[in-house]
Amino acid sequence: MYLATSNRNKVREINEILQNIDINGSITVKYIFDEIKEDNFEVEEYGETYVENSVIKAWAYSKLIKKPVFSDDSGLSIISLEGFPGVNSARFMENYSYEQKMKELLSMLENEKDRTAYFACAATYFDPQKNFLVTCQEEVYGKIAFEIRGKNGFGYDPIFIPDGYDYTFGELSKDVKNKISHRAKAIKKLLLFLKSATIL
Ligand code: ITT
């Protein structure tokens, strides 16, 4: 199954998550640009929600390869910043490094008492031949750290401390992240549904 994404970190992480899901038989996701060979193919993510953008990506990529795909739209929403950067997590300060993006978010929170935040992931399955689509969203709640900590994971992991832990996703092992993350919960929910409906 192809994952409709340009982000190889999502492919790696979803494959790690899939190893922990017992659904009688193994499923793995493949990087879709190995199939479409068009490095400049881009999908405009014009949705206002994670679910909308996840559906937009699944639809656009599956039309191109004419096969069913999974997609993942995700991001970090900070409550005191009214959900920012949210669906714009990848596009916020697009030409800057994640270190610079995280520093900017930390400075925006300098005088904020409430550091509550959540990662969200909307995971979608779309079969273009059957016009059949399933989507779901899950979140993991936590707090934004006071400094950048750890090198594990990707994106904003080094500033996010999930509830119940004293360490950031950047410090926690991938096994811990892949048990409790927004992505793990959404992929698990989607797969168990598809399996119970005998679609996979
Ligand atoms: P595609 O749209 O091609 O899938 P993308 O990276 O642009 O790739 P999104 O639009 O879904 O994907 O943006 C998600 C961004 O949110 C991602 O690039 C990270 O910066 C951040 N993000 C999502 N999940 C994350 C995670 O588990 N850990 C850290 N940051 C995450």
Short mmCIF file of all heavy atoms in Angstrom, two decimals, residues 18 52 73 84 89-90 98 141 156 161 164 182:
data_model
loop_
_atom_site.label_atom_id
_atom_site.label_comp_id
_atom_site.label_asym_id
_atom_site.label_seq_id
_atom_site.Cartn_x
_atom_site.Cartn_y
_atom_site.Cartn_z
N LEU A 18 2.96 -0.06 12.25
CA LEU A 18 2.27 -1.22 11.69
C LEU A 18 2.82 -2.53 12.24
O LEU A 18 2.10 -3.52 12.37
CB LEU A 18 2.35 -1.20 10.16
CG LEU A 18 1.50 -0.12 9.47
CD1 LEU A 18 1.83 -0.02 7.98
CD2 LEU A 18 0.02 -0.38 9.67
N GLU A 52 -9.76 17.39 6.29
CA GLU A 52 -9.91 17.87 4.89
C GLU A 52 -8.61 17.67 4.11
O GLU A 52 -8.63 17.16 2.98
CB GLU A 52 -10.28 19.36 4.88
CG GLU A 52 -11.73 19.64 5.18
CD GLU A 52 -11.96 21.14 5.21
OE1 GLU A 52 -11.75 21.75 6.27
OE2 GLU A 52 -12.33 21.70 4.18
N ASP A 73 -2.45 13.52 7.37
CA ASP A 73 -2.23 14.96 7.55
C ASP A 73 -2.12 15.20 9.03
O ASP A 73 -2.96 14.73 9.82
CB ASP A 73 -3.35 15.81 6.95
CG ASP A 73 -2.88 17.26 6.86
OD1 ASP A 73 -2.04 17.55 6.00
OD2 ASP A 73 -3.32 18.09 7.68
N PHE A 84 -2.44 27.45 16.52
CA PHE A 84 -1.29 27.67 15.63
C PHE A 84 -0.14 26.72 16.01
O PHE A 84 0.02 26.46 17.20
CB PHE A 84 -0.83 29.13 15.76
CG PHE A 84 0.23 29.53 14.79
CD1 PHE A 84 -0.08 29.86 13.49
CD2 PHE A 84 1.57 29.54 15.18
CE1 PHE A 84 0.92 30.21 12.58
CE2 PHE A 84 2.57 29.89 14.28
CZ PHE A 84 2.24 30.22 12.99
N SER A 89 1.51 23.49 10.01
CA SER A 89 2.75 23.12 10.71
C SER A 89 3.93 22.97 9.76
O SER A 89 5.06 23.35 10.10
CB SER A 89 2.55 21.82 11.49
OG SER A 89 1.68 22.04 12.57
N ALA A 90 3.69 22.39 8.57
CA ALA A 90 4.80 22.22 7.61
C ALA A 90 5.10 23.54 6.91
O ALA A 90 6.25 23.85 6.63
CB ALA A 90 4.46 21.13 6.60
N TYR A 98 13.88 23.22 11.19
CA TYR A 98 12.98 22.95 12.32
C TYR A 98 13.50 23.57 13.61
O TYR A 98 12.72 23.98 14.47
CB TYR A 98 12.67 21.45 12.46
CG TYR A 98 11.41 21.15 11.68
CD1 TYR A 98 11.47 20.82 10.34
CD2 TYR A 98 10.17 21.34 12.25
CE1 TYR A 98 10.32 20.63 9.60
CE2 TYR A 98 9.01 21.17 11.52
CZ TYR A 98 9.09 20.81 10.20
OH TYR A 98 7.94 20.65 9.48
N TYR A 141 -2.26 14.69 23.61
CA TYR A 141 -2.14 15.97 24.30
C TYR A 141 -0.86 16.03 25.13
O TYR A 141 -0.35 15.00 25.58
CB TYR A 141 -3.36 16.20 25.21
CG TYR A 141 -4.47 16.89 24.48
CD1 TYR A 141 -5.33 16.16 23.65
CD2 TYR A 141 -4.65 18.27 24.58
CE1 TYR A 141 -6.34 16.81 22.94
CE2 TYR A 141 -5.66 18.92 23.88
CZ TYR A 141 -6.50 18.19 23.07
OH TYR A 141 -7.49 18.83 22.36
N TYR A 156 8.53 18.72 15.08
CA TYR A 156 8.44 19.43 16.37
C TYR A 156 8.62 18.51 17.58
O TYR A 156 8.37 18.94 18.71
CB TYR A 156 7.08 20.15 16.47
CG TYR A 156 6.87 21.18 15.37
CD1 TYR A 156 6.09 20.90 14.26
CD2 TYR A 156 7.47 22.44 15.45
CE1 TYR A 156 5.89 21.84 13.25
CE2 TYR A 156 7.29 23.38 14.45
CZ TYR A 156 6.50 23.07 13.35
OH TYR A 156 6.33 24.01 12.36
N ILE A 161 6.14 17.59 25.05
CA ILE A 161 6.17 16.64 26.18
C ILE A 161 4.77 16.02 26.31
O ILE A 161 3.83 16.71 26.71
CB ILE A 161 6.53 17.35 27.50
CG1 ILE A 161 7.87 18.07 27.37
CG2 ILE A 161 6.56 16.36 28.67
CD1 ILE A 161 8.21 18.97 28.56
N GLY A 164 1.79 12.69 30.97
CA GLY A 164 2.19 11.44 31.64
C GLY A 164 3.70 11.21 31.58
O GLY A 164 4.21 10.25 32.15
N HIS A 182 -0.32 10.51 18.22
CA HIS A 182 -1.47 10.82 17.37
C HIS A 182 -1.50 9.89 16.16
O HIS A 182 -2.53 9.34 15.80
CB HIS A 182 -1.34 12.29 16.93
CG HIS A 182 0.01 12.66 16.36
ND1 HIS A 182 1.19 12.26 16.95
CD2 HIS A 182 0.39 13.33 15.24
CE1 HIS A 182 2.22 12.70 16.23
NE2 HIS A 182 1.75 13.35 15.18
#
